[in-house]
Amino acid sequence: MGEPNDNDNAMVHDGEMIIGNEMIHDSEMVHSSEMLHDDDMIQETKMVHGDEVIQGSGLVNDDTINGDEMVHGSEMIHGNHIIQVNNEMVQVNGMANGDEMAHGNELVSADVSPPNSRRRKKKSPVWEHFTIEPVPGDIQCQRACCNLCKGTFAYSTGAKIAGTSHLKRHITHGSCPVIKNQDKKVALSSAGVTDNDCEGTIGRPSKRRYRYSGFANATFDQDRSSFYVAKLIILQDYRLDIVQQPAFTAFIESLQPRFRVADVETMEGEVYAVYQKEKDNLLQTFSTLPGRVSLTIGLWTTSQTLGYVSLAAQFIDTEWKVHRRMLNFTMVPSPHPQNAVTDAISRCLPDWGMKDKLFTITLENDCSSHDIYSANLRDQLSSRNDVMLKGQLFVVRCYARILNAAAQDVIAYIHGVIYSIRESIKFIKASNSREEKFAEIALQLEIPSTKTLCLDVTTQWNTTYLMLLAALDYKQAFTTLETCDDNYNEAPSAEDWKRVEAASNHLKLLYDSAHSIMSVENPTSDIFFHEAWKLQLELANATAHEDPDVSSIAKDMHETFDKYWKDCNLVLAIAVVMDPRFKMKLVEFSYSKIYGVDAAKYVKVVNDSVHELYKEYVAQPLPLTPAYVEQPAANGNKTQAGPPSTGDGLVDFDMYLSEIATVQPSKSELEQYLDETLTPRTQEFDILEWWKLNTIRFPTLSKMARDVLAIPVSTVTAGSSIFSAGTGSRMLNEYRSSLRPEIVEALVCAKDWLPHSTTASPSCALVKLQ
């Protein structure tokens, strides 16, 4: 065999062969699958021929092995080693695959596969970004190619390897032009972080040792991190003391060991700082409002003798978009005295710079003393604020709460039957065998229903309605089950099912009306008239129904809803007049259905109120619009409007026309609007967009439309359930009740403001950690 190089760590003497980790001398025997013949040696899948050694896929001939390792026992030549074969240099980048065997000067295929072969893999993460490529014409040299920018860098010259430090710097220090360009785009983006912000980022693996940052060399900022922890607590309704929970602190430490976790008192300060920052932004928005604001009032109670009043403002901005923002969450004595709400409103408006901008107030309470309550509220606030139309539109009742109150009237009428149906469903759902038996009965009776029996949520009347609908389809199955199962005796009688059917028909009216409102993301006040007048008409007609159950249920519902209609039909009617698809025509049509021969006097009330309200807007100063701006003359002086001269010698005629126009003034904006033909009713019609486009034509009337359409007829916000059964105050939880009032207000208000905040979120760039 050839003698090893002096630099090698092991030496093989004449007459010795290294197999595995053992040395076999001439006198030793070859066992198992080894065979020694003359100067040939066969060991498992190795063959030694003459003074040549065939190992795996490498051929070693009387010379040295240049690389990082020698071949010992069953080790293979791999990586980037150079093998001298018959005075030729062969570059081997890896282990020969399959059954390749080197023989003589050629590489031939054979069944050669060392059983204990090992491959050293490159462990540096830099190889996720680089690929080793040979240099054309020089088999001893290799270069590293960047997978992103395709730039090449020195790596191996055959006898020396350059290392990977310069490759790491290319990726992590922004030297790669592709990564640098991505970081610039992220830094300039002000849209915030979304799930898709980082999708498709070329060459940015999402594996270990990566973090989010705006730049590759971003530094840790304690204040900024604390600010975002405060926002997390606000938006997710976490307790302030979460920052002291062991699991939270461990999680934060795993992300950034240098982050100093704050105590509860410090976190209160962080929360209040977020609140104050967002309040300043909202104040800036209110300072540029083109119209008035309407308020919604919410009442909250606590386990203590304290309560809270929430105030939210609804308005339409300069782009004709509807917004609702929380203003205050103020602590008051509980139960809520009337003057507490008045005082809360009086303190709120000057603080927000809206003392002279209040238009209406919407209450969510459904108390029997609403008339006295609203009258006193109107009298006290009108003396401090400039109210429109002598306060006739000032107090509005929540439409959603009225629907809930009417639904509770229906449920109360058949509460006994509802109890039996709930118990029946519980009995069937108690075991799989009962469910299977009930399904078999339904199949035998050929009941076509596909509805699923399920229990309702008692605080959500819509689930009660859906439960009754499903039970009605299976009423025969309930009766049959009672006859064949002695343990079941809750089946409603035929008379009970008749009452359930009558109740379900009435609940359907409320259910459909609620869904019509919920289908609009930001409802304007005009859509509520369509629902209210139809419901008023249906209930009025049902009270005279010949079926006693139908008429009895309708009378209870009509008593509740008629009170609402009398209080609020004027504001709803004025709102629908501002819809160019209906104007006064729908008011005339609907009132004729509801009031019959007396409809004319009710229509006159609406018409007079619309004109009176318009006059109040005319009396207000009107900001200049492009249609009214005077154009300067060429010499710098303002030109006065006059009859255009056509050069036809009829100047006197033009003067005559001007005099007629002075004696016979043109129609007002309101009259012109009402006299025009109705806009076609198309599904894609946008009433706010229509007024935005017609502001130039109706500068004064558009101001009135902006304020009227922004009236919050319902206090239910987007994302909240309109089917909540409760019509009274809401309860603040024990933890929130224990906090200081200013912190409670900061938490509640900031949670409402943050989703609409214009503050930029952190960038979303993936950066390699050193």
Side-chain angles (χ1 to χ4, degrees):
M1 296 182 62
E3 294 180 0
N5 190 1
D6 292 341
N7 295 331
D8 295 336
N9 297 324
M11 181 176 291
V12 182
H13 298 281
D14 293 338
E16 296 176 330
M17 181 67 189
I18 297 175
I19 303 175
N21 294 322
E22 301 179 0
M23 180 178 292
I24 302 177
H25 300 275
D26 291 338
S27 58
E28 294 182 358
M29 295 182 64
V30 180
H31 299 281
S32 186
S33 59
E34 302 177 3
M35 178 177 182
L36 183 64
H37 181 69
D38 293 332
D39 53 356
D40 293 347
M41 178 178 291
I42 300 174
Q43 183 209 352
E44 292 182 351
T45 57
K46 301 180 185 176
M47 177 181 289
V48 180
H49 184 70
D51 50 5
E52 298 176 2
V53 178
I54 300 174
Q55 168 106 13
S57 61
L59 177 64
V60 183
N61 187 347
D62 285 332
D63 218 317
T64 59
I65 300 172
N66 297 323
D68 294 335
E69 11 175 291
M70 285 185 62
V71 178
H72 295 285
S74 60
E75 293 184 5
M76 299 291 299
I77 300 174
H78 67 91
N80 303 305
H81 303 289
I82 309 298
I83 303 175
Q84 175 104 16
V85 181
N86 291 340
N87 298 324
E88 293 183 6
M89 300 298 294
V90 179
Q91 177 74 30
V92 181
N93 286 332
M95 194 164 52
N97 296 326
D99 300 321
E100 296 177 349
M101 181 173 68
H103 183 76
N105 296 330
E106 299 177 355
L107 189 65
V108 297
S109 177
D111 291 333
V112 180
S113 179
N116 296 320
S117 62
R118 299 192 306 270
R119 177 191 297 192
R120 254 182 82 186
K121 295 183 179 180
K122 292 179 171 32
K123 297 181 179 180
S124 175
V126 77
W127 297 116
E128 297 177 11
H129 299 274
F130 286 90
T131 303
I132 297 176
E133 296 182 353
V135 177
D138 189 352
I139 61 175
Q140 298 186 52
C141 296
Q142 295 175 306
R143 293 185 69 81
C145 178
C146 176
N147 296 333
L148 298 179
C149 67
K150 304 305 178 184
T152 60
F153 303 86
Y155 177 61
S156 172
T157 61
K160 183 180 179 181
I161 296 178
T164 60
S165 297
H166 63 304
L167 305 181
K168 291 179 181 178
R169 288 193 295 271
H170 177 72
I171 294 297
T172 60
H173 290 184
S175 300
C176 178
V178 176
I179 295 178
K180 191 174 183 179
N181 185 51
Q182 290 176 354
D183 285 342
K184 284 182 178 179
K185 289 181 179 180
V186 172
L188 293 174
S189 174
S190 60
V193 180
T194 64
D195 294 339
N196 298 324
D197 281 346
C198 297
E199 287 186 4
T201 304
I202 304 175
R204 298 299 186 91
S206 59
K207 296 182 180 179
R208 65 196 186 285
R209 304 208 305 230
Y210 283 88
R211 66 183 169 89
Y212 286 96
S213 177
F215 303 91
N217 58 350
T219 58
F220 168 67
D221 188 333
Q222 171 73 27
D223 294 337
R224 183 172 180 268
S225 298
S226 297
F227 180 78
Y228 279 95
V229 171
K231 291 177 69 173
L232 175 69
I233 290 174
I234 293 169
L235 290 172
Q236 300 302 322
D237 288 331
Y238 290 148
R239 294 167 59 106
L240 290 171
D241 56 8
I242 190 177
V243 295
Q244 296 181 330
Q245 298 295 325
F248 182 81
T249 55
F251 172 68
I252 293 298
E253 186 175 355
S254 70
L255 297 177
Q256 177 52 262
R258 290 185 292 167
F259 181 77
R260 300 187 306 276
V261 179
D263 54 24
V264 173
E265 185 176 354
T266 303
M267 191 49 59
E268 285 184 351
E270 294 287 350
V271 167
Y272 200 80
V274 174
Y275 160 79
Q276 195 60 53
K277 181 178 180 180
E278 297 303 324
K279 182 177 181 179
D280 292 342
N281 293 338
L282 192 56
L283 278 169
Q284 182 64 29
T285 300
F286 286 151
S287 66
T288 60
L289 280 185
R292 291 174 172 257
V293 298
S294 293
L295 298 181
T296 63
I297 311 296
L299 304 179
W300 295 72
T301 59
T302 67
S303 57
Q304 307 166 3
T305 57
L306 295 173
Y308 282 86
V309 173
S310 65
L311 304 177
Q314 184 156 308
F315 55 92
I316 295 176
D317 64 12
T318 53
E319 294 299 317
W320 286 87
K321 302 295 182 183
V322 181
H323 301 276
R324 183 182 295 190
R325 298 288 184 272
M326 183 72 73
L327 298 182
N328 294 85
F329 197 77
T330 307
M331 187 183 71
V332 296
S334 182
H336 308 84
Q338 180 180 305
N339 59 345
V341 177
T342 305
D343 292 341
I345 297 174
S346 299
R347 292 195 306 269
C348 161
L349 296 180
D351 188 34
W352 289 97
M354 296 187 295
K355 188 175 184 300
D356 298 322
K357 291 186 175 182
L358 182 60
F359 191 55
T360 65
I361 295 176
T362 302
L363 303 174
E364 65 178 17
N365 67 312
D366 182 42
C367 57
S368 58
S369 58
H370 173 80
D371 286 343
I372 300 175
Y373 188 87
S374 61
N376 292 338
L377 193 64
R378 183 187 301 112
D379 293 341
Q380 294 181 37
L381 289 177
S382 61
S383 61
R384 311 176 193 180
N385 300 273
D386 182 22
V387 298
M388 306 292 289
L389 205 60
K390 299 178 182 179
Q392 293 184 66
L393 312 178
F394 192 64
V395 179
V396 182
R397 296 175 68 184
C398 175
Y399 183 77
R401 301 292 173 176
I402 296 302
L403 293 183
N404 295 337
Q408 294 308 308
D409 290 336
V410 180
I411 292 173
Y413 185 82
I414 59 168
H415 71 278
V417 185
I418 291 176
Y419 174 82
S420 297
I421 292 175
R422 285 176 182 151
E423 293 300 313
S424 298
I425 296 176
K426 289 178 184 178
F427 177 84
I428 295 169
K429 297 289 184 180
S431 67
N432 290 334
S433 60
R434 290 178 181 176
E435 284 194 84
E436 292 173 358
K437 185 175 182 179
F438 188 81
E440 183 181 348
I441 292 173
L443 187 62
Q444 292 174 353
L445 295 174
E446 298 182 350
I447 297 175
S449 178
T450 58
K451 295 184 179 70
T452 302
L453 286 176
C454 58
L455 286 172
D456 64 332
V457 180
T458 56
T459 57
Q460 299 286 323
W461 63 263
N462 61 313
T463 63
T464 304
Y465 165 65
L466 296 175
M467 179 186 72
L468 296 178
L469 280 185
L472 277 171
D473 286 351
Y474 293 99
K475 60 183 179 181
Q476 291 182 338
F478 283 112
T479 303
T480 304
L481 179 64
E482 189 174 40
T483 60
C484 60
D485 191 330
D486 296 336
N487 295 320
Y488 174 63
N489 56 4
E490 292 288 349
S493 63
E495 187 65 25
D496 289 339
W497 286 119
K498 185 180 177 182
R499 297 171 66 199
V500 169
E501 186 173 1
S504 297
N505 291 336
H506 285 87
L507 285 175
K508 184 179 186 303
L509 297 175
L510 306 177
Y511 184 83
D512 292 344
S513 181
H515 266 283
S516 296
I517 297 169
M518 292 172 58
S519 64
V520 182
E521 184 177 357
N522 293 307
T524 47
S525 57
D526 59 295
I527 71 170
F528 291 87
F529 183 82
H530 303 274
E531 302 303 320
W533 84 263
K534 288 185 289 188
L535 193 54
Q536 172 72 3
L537 180 62
E538 290 285 350
L539 294 178
N541 292 337
T543 56
H545 200 279
E546 58 184 12
D547 188 313
D549 289 321
V550 173
S551 61
S552 296
I553 296 174
K555 286 177 182 178
D556 293 338
M557 294 175 65
H558 187 257
E559 183 178 352
T560 299
F561 196 82
D562 186 61
K563 182 70 172 61
Y564 172 80
W565 176 257
K566 290 177 179 178
D567 291 337
C568 300
N569 81 88
L570 178 60
V571 66
L572 300 181
I574 293 177
V576 84
V577 171
M578 294 293 100
D579 189 333
R581 297 170 297 174
F582 303 104
K583 303 180 183 178
M584 283 295 299
K585 302 303 181 183
L586 182 61
V587 174
E588 297 167 0
F589 172 78
S590 58
Y591 280 19
S592 66
K593 297 285 187 179
I594 295 173
Y595 299 112
V597 294
D598 296 329
K601 67 177 182 180
Y602 292 100
V603 171
K604 185 177 185 301
V605 171
V606 175
N607 187 68
D608 291 347
S609 298
V610 169
H611 282 78
E612 190 65 31
L613 182 61
Y614 172 73
K615 290 178 181 178
E616 293 188 23
Y617 277 90
V618 170
Q620 297 175 3
L622 183 69
L624 291 178
T625 63
Y628 292 87
V629 174
E630 296 178 333
Q631 300 296 328
N635 59 3
N637 298 325
K638 293 182 179 179
T639 59
Q640 295 182 352
S645 176
T646 59
D648 57 3
L650 294 176
V651 177
D652 293 342
F653 176 67
D654 293 333
M655 296 298 296
Y656 169 73
L657 294 178
S658 299
E659 293 174 0
I660 294 177
T662 304
V663 176
Q664 300 176 353
S666 60
K667 294 181 179 179
S668 67
E669 293 177 25
L670 177 60
E671 292 298 333
Q672 181 182 346
Y673 166 77
L674 293 176
D675 288 345
E676 288 181 354
T677 58
L678 300 180
T679 300
R681 299 194 307 276
T682 57
Q683 189 171 3
E684 64 275 7
F685 178 79
D686 186 338
I687 186 172
L688 296 181
E689 185 66 21
W690 189 93
W691 278 105
K692 179 181 179 180
L693 296 175
N694 286 274
T695 300
I696 300 295
R697 293 178 57 219
F698 307 113
T700 301
L701 187 61
S702 63
K703 287 183 59 180
M704 173 176 157
R706 186 196 304 272
D707 295 343
V708 170
L709 294 175
I711 296 175
V713 180
S714 172
T715 61
V716 179
T717 58
S720 301
S721 175
I722 200 173
F723 300 107
S724 176
T727 57
S729 301
R730 286 162 286 185
M731 176 70 73
L732 207 62
N733 64 41
E734 290 286 342
Y735 176 72
R736 286 286 176 92
S737 301
S738 67
L739 298 175
R740 290 184 288 127
E742 59 268 26
I743 300 301
V744 176
E745 182 175 48
L747 289 168
V748 173
C749 292
K751 182 181 180 180
D752 178 73
W753 300 337
L754 282 173
H756 312 286
S757 175
T758 57
T759 304
S761 299
S763 303
C764 181
L766 286 171
V767 181
K768 191 80 171 187
L769 287 178
Q770 295 296 324

